Amino acid sequence: MQTSTTDPAIISVWRWQWLIALFIVFLVATATLLPRSGSLWASALIVLGLSGVLLVWLWPPTYYRHLRYGVDATGIVIERGVLWRSHIALPRARIQHTDVSQGPLQRRYGVGTLKLYTAGSRHTMIELPGLAHPDAIALRDALLAESTTSGV
Amino acid sequence: MASETDFQPELRLHPLSWLFALATFIRQFIVPVIAFMIFGARNDAELWGALILVPLLVGALWQQWLYRYGFGPRGLVIKEGLFFRNLRQIEYPRIENIDVKRGLLHRLLGVAEVSIATSTGGKAEATIRVLSLEATQELRDQVFNRGRPAPTHAAPAAQDEVLLQLPPAELIRYGLIDNRGMIVVAALFGFLYQAGTFEISRQSAAVWFEQSQLSHLAALGIAMQAGLALAGLVTFVLTLRLLSVGFALVTLFDFTLTRHGQDLRVRHGLLTRLALTLRIPRIQSVHQTQSLLHRLFGRVSLRVDLAGDSSSSQDGKQQSQVRTRWLAPICTPMQAKALMAVALPDVDFAGEPNWQPLAPHARQRLFRQSVYFATFVAAAITLALHLLPEAPFEPDARWIVAFLAVMLVLGWWRADLYVKHTRWALTPDAVLFRYGWLTRRLIVTPRNRLQSVQLTASPFDRRHRMANVSVDTAGGSAMSDRIAIRFLPRRIARALALRLYHSHIDRAGR
């Protein structure tokens, strides 16, 4: 099966998301630790913050490289994970319904997340993030086009 | 619920329903109420009890007065509610199970509690409490006949065919194997604790110990003491097993599995009679369990996953409500094979499947995991005992070596047994997986029931060129086991996942 990567714009979305999360954690840590004073704490905070920023800069492209998807006559396969790798294969007959969702950041970069719902008990929702929004819509339509059976 | 808004349900509950509404409410509060009655210091406790009961009784009567159900053109319609009226319509084809429960009181009064479940999962969609037996039969007939048009209904195969019946001897075996006695003990403890009995018994025990010949006991010497402790332990275990046998005899009394067209029907219970329906097209997989004790008696247990029993519903609270769907709590392996063929008509059980082993290095990896685990536990125990000020003894190096040696022998034994007994097989219509070292399980999932297929590999898996394959079906809760094959050679895992994903091609080419 031919697999392809998603839209690289998702890297920026992820960077922003992680940066915001990191910023909040950093604020909380500063607020709780700084009053205890000591230059040791301050320097530890700065080192942690800087390494966090480095990680936020480097991790999304790595994750992006390992996020691939492929569509064939049977259905869709999604590969993800850098250290713990997972391929999930979903026949299109099993798709119950779908969502294409966009957060504010994703709207800014024009990407969307395709969510596929199954009747399963563990993977009831399978996500494919980072598709360009028109591609997500097109993929959804392609997947739903031929599924007519009941799905259980 | 868009259409048929003009349909008004007209059927009412059984005239004595209020009694059961009251009973369920009281049961939830029985322990506090009893504690209140017995241990309450106030002597006007009965008055207060009556004051609580009156509004409940009025509420129950009112609820019964307003409750209506009826067979609409498209679905079962239920109207209920005290202040907030609710009109619920459940379409006939969506109704999966109609379970009938009859407690002692129900049976005395000739009524039944009926729960209706769809494939939404979790809790039953509607519980009708209570109906007369004729009304229950009527409900069952109406729903299942309307839900399925002509063919199955008209077929003369509507005769009940008995597939399995468990005589008391089998139930005693089941009780011995199963450890439900623990549940009875736990329930008893909980009850006694709530009722405040422990406080009293602790005081009396203290008095007893003071007066009795505890000094004699101390003088008996270590061998006698150990003997007494052992005897106590054996008595405890025997009592548990006896309780468990009693529990099995009561709850599973007269267990009967019958086939009625496309339905399997299960009835059991001495005091509370349960009648459950398992619709064969909804069966997602079959699980066979064989513990050490099962093997001693030459028996297995067989249960199924039904679509709709998965508790993937958002609230997640109802998980404990999902009862085990037994096909046979206990049966011989031969019977199990026959029952499996009935439960999964799409699967061909004629030949022995082509069982495949795990990756060659699986045994070493399992053993290595045991080594890490044993080392960790040994370190933790040693550290804890050295740090605790009042530890009974401080383990030295000899102790650690002995502990590790025992653990490693056990670990190797486990790894060896696990790898020897873990096999998977792929047939044109099913995927089979058997695994376990002491308790051995077999899971059979038809390939037309697969929802999704997952192939995973951790960094350790990748170092050993291994991968894991797991499948997801619509049945079973997220907690229960499923086909998840670990330690496969990577190439084989990839091929297996691909074949499973393209299952419809294999099935079509048959």
Side-chain angles (χ1 to χ4, degrees), chain A residues 72 74 83 87 89 94 122, chain B residues 448 450 453 455 462 480 502:
Chain A
D72 65 6
T74 307
L83 293 175
H87 296 205
R94 297 308 192 192
R122 284 175 184 77
Chain B
N448 58 358
L450 300 182
V453 183
L455 175 80
R462 279 188 285 134
S480 73
H502 290 296

Side-chain angles (χ1 to χ4, degrees), chain B residues 135-151:
Chain B
T136 309
Q137 193 52 46
E138 166 81 7
L139 178 82
R140 209 200 274 255
D141 289 348
Q142 287 275 0
V143 166
F144 282 151
N145 291 345
R146 291 191 194 213
R148 267 164 292 160

Side-chain angles (χ1 to χ4, degrees), chain A residues 1 70 72-77 82-91 94 96 118-124 126 151-152, chain B residues 284 307 310 312 448-459 462 472-478 480 482 501-502 504:
Chain A
M1 179 190 295
D72 65 6
T74 307
I76 181 168
V77 175
V82 179
L83 293 175
W84 272 264
R85 294 204 183 142
S86 139
H87 296 205
I88 189 151
L90 176 64
R94 297 308 192 192
Q96 296 278 324
T118 75
S121 46
R122 284 175 184 77
H123 305 285
T124 46
I126 295 160
V152 175
Chain B
Q284 301 291 313
S310 66
S312 54
N448 58 358
R449 295 281 184 267
L450 300 182
Q451 290 287 335
S452 59
V453 183
Q454 200 181 15
L455 175 80
T456 57
S458 71
R462 279 188 285 134
D472 193 21
T473 64
S477 69
S480 73
R482 51 155 175 179
Y501 167 61
H502 290 296
H504 66 286

Side-chain angles (χ1 to χ4, degrees), chain A residues 51-111:
Chain A
S51 50
V53 169
L54 197 68
L55 198 65
V56 163
W57 191 255
L58 293 180
W59 184 255
T62 319
Y63 190 81
Y64 172 80
R65 273 200 303 280
H66 289 93
L67 177 69
R68 304 181 72 86
Y69 72 98
V71 180
D72 65 6
T74 307
I76 181 168
V77 175
I78 298 171
E79 309 178 5
R80 65 168 77 199
V82 179
L83 293 175
W84 272 264
R85 294 204 183 142
S86 139
H87 296 205
I88 189 151
L90 176 64
R92 63 179 75 205
R94 297 308 192 192
I95 300 172
Q96 296 278 324
H97 59 275
T98 59
D99 284 346
V100 175
S101 65
Q102 266 187 315
L105 268 173
Q106 290 177 322
R107 256 202 308 280
R108 160 80 179 71
Y109 286 95
V111 293

